[in-house]
Structure formats: structure tokens, C-alpha cells
């Protein structure tokens, strides 16, 4: 009985701290989502707390709280569970926002982002590239992208391609070890079927500008 009372006290202290920090998390994540082009998004951490007085099994190693992330992407849309409401691209950007906010305490070593460029372009894409670069200072960050504004910020580049052989499709991943290979790959993302000299110059400028920011 004494241990149960002590457990309840500590669980309630943890729960109060969670409720307080949840509001800070919500504000920080919404701010990040604004920067990532999701200007109308609403993010909310819902915490439902139980009591040992009502259920002796209410507490586990994580406390007495059940935590759920809720999201509304468009105005007038009800808040719904993040797992049910977000598309692939939106989910990647939301995870990027969460990881950016939590990076100092996150113990996950490898982060993989796919479709993080879905529905964005231009200046927002560059912001995403910078945030991924920042995450790379604390984690191993891998990103699959079709946008040169994002790809240019990578410290290491790999080219993913598909090839047909004996009526079968194979996916190949080749490291781009030289500067010219990286520029050519960026030019392919920038240009159409015909890569012009201007496209190559723009790709070179984009790579050098982004890599300079990495060194800074």
C-alpha cells in the first residue's frame, strides 16, 4: 500500500509535467510546420490520464498517461489522430518538425525521410534542406528526394536508378563521389530531357552555395 501510494504520487508528478510540456511542444511544432509550408496546420498533444485509485493496473513503465498526437491540416477540419489524417508527404514534414523540436533529447540514431518534398517547392524546399542538414549534426539522416534544393544540402549523395535486364526491373544505388557527378545529378533534377549549359551552371552554383553553408 505504501509503494502504491508512492507510485501514484510520482506518476501524477510526471503527468503534470507532461501536460505542461505538451503545450510547449504544440507551439514549437506548429511554428516548425509554418516554416515547412503547412501554414494552416493545427497540432495538438492529447493526454488522457488514469488513476490508480480507479484501476490498479492504470500505471505502467511510462506512467498513467495515454498520449496521442492530433492534427488538422485544413481550416475547418476536425482534429484527428496523426496516424489517420496525414498523407505520406505531410507525415514526413510533421516528423521532420517533431524531430527538429526534440533533437536535443531524441535517442534515435537514424532518421529516414521519404516524400518529405511532396507538395513543396522553391523557398520551402530550401528550408527543408537546411533543417535536414541541422538534424544531420545529431543523427544519421537519410532523405529520398527529387528536389535539387533539398539534395544540394547533403554531405553525401547517392543516385537511385532503375534498369531493365532480361525483362526484369532492378534498382541500383550508386554513390556520387566526385563534384562533377553531384553537379550532373542536380542538373538532371533541375532540367528536362535536354540539359543546357545554363542548367549545369545553376546546378554548380546551387551545390557550392549549399556546401558552403554546411562548412559554416
Amino acid at each position: 500500500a505504501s509503494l502504491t501510494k508512492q507510485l501514484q504520487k510520482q506518476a501524477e508528478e510526471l503527468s503534470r509535467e507532461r501536460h505542461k510540456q505538451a503545450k510547449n511542444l504544440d507551439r514549437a511544432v506548429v511554428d516548425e510546420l509554418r516554416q515547412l509550408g503547412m501554414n494552416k496546420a493545427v497540432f495538438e498533444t492529447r493526454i488522457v490520464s488514469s488513476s490508480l485509485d480507479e484501476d490498479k493496473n492504470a500505471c505502467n513503465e511510462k506512467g498513467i498517461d495515454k498520449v496521442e498526437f492530433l492534427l488538422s491540416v485544413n481550416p475547418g477540419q476536425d482534429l484527428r489522430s496523426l496516424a489517420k489524417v496525414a498523407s505520406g508527404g505531410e507525415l514526413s514534414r510533421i516528423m521532420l518538425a517533431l524531430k527538429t523540436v526534440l533533437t536535443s533529447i531524441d535517442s534515435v540514431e537514424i532518421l529516414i525521410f521519404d516524400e518529405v518534398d511532396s507538395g513543396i517547392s522553391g523557398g520551402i524546399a530550401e528550408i527543408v534542406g537546411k533543417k535536414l542538414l541541422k538534424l544531420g549534426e545529431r543523427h544519421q539522416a537519410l532523405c529520398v528526394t527529387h528536389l535539387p534544393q533539398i539534395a544540394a544540402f547533403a554531405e553525401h549523395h547517392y543516385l537511385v536508378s532503375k534498369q531493365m535486364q532480361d525483362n526484369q526491373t532492378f534498382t541500383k544505388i550508386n554513390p556520387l563521389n566526385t563534384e562533377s557527378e553531384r553537379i550532373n545529378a542536380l542538373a538532371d533534377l533541375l532540367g528536362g530531357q535536354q540539359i543546357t549549359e545554363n542548367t549545369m551552371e545553376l546546378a554548380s552554383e546551387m551545390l557550392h552555395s549549399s556546401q558552403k553553408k554546411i562548412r559554416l
Side-chain angles (χ1 to χ4, degrees), residues 84-149:
K84 298 177 181 178
V85 72
S87 66
E90 290 169 345
L91 191 58
S92 283
R93 273 185 280 172
I94 293 162
M95 290 306 299
L96 177 56
L98 275 168
K99 294 298 183 182
T100 300
V101 172
L102 300 175
T103 182
S104 62
I105 58 172
D106 196 341
S107 61
V108 176
E109 295 182 358
I110 301 176
L111 304 174
I112 301 176
F113 294 93
D114 190 14
E115 293 190 72
V116 72
D117 54 12
S118 178
I120 63 172
S121 60
I124 298 296
E126 184 174 345
I127 291 172
V128 170
K130 290 178 179 177
K131 289 188 179 296
L132 287 168
L133 173 63
K134 194 70 176 175
L135 277 181
E137 295 176 1
R138 291 181 176 270
H139 308 271
Q140 175 67 66
L142 306 177
C143 178
V144 182
T145 182
H146 298 92
L147 289 182
Q149 294 97 328

Side-chain angles (χ1 to χ4, degrees), residues 15-47:
S15 181
R16 282 193 294 272
E17 187 64 23
R18 271 205 184 107
H19 279 83
K20 183 171 70 175
Q21 294 301 331
K23 297 185 183 302
N24 296 331
L25 175 66
D26 294 346
R27 284 193 292 268
V29 170
V30 168
D31 183 58
E32 290 291 331
L33 292 177
R34 297 282 189 274
Q35 297 179 46
L36 295 172
M38 298 177 69
N39 296 321
K40 305 298 182 181
V42 178
F43 181 90
E44 181 180 304
T45 304
R46 177 176 292 172
I47 302 175

Side-chain angles (χ1 to χ4, degrees), residues 53-90:
D53 293 334
E54 299 172 1
D55 181 3
K56 64 179 181 179
N57 296 315
C59 188
N60 58 26
E61 70 273 14
K62 296 180 181 179
I64 55 174
D65 300 318
K66 290 184 179 180
V67 181
E68 184 178 25
F69 292 143
L70 304 178
L71 178 74
S72 171
V73 177
N74 301 306
Q77 186 181 67
D78 292 336
L79 284 164
R80 294 171 56 195
S81 174
L82 176 59
K84 298 177 181 178
V85 72
S87 66
E90 290 169 345

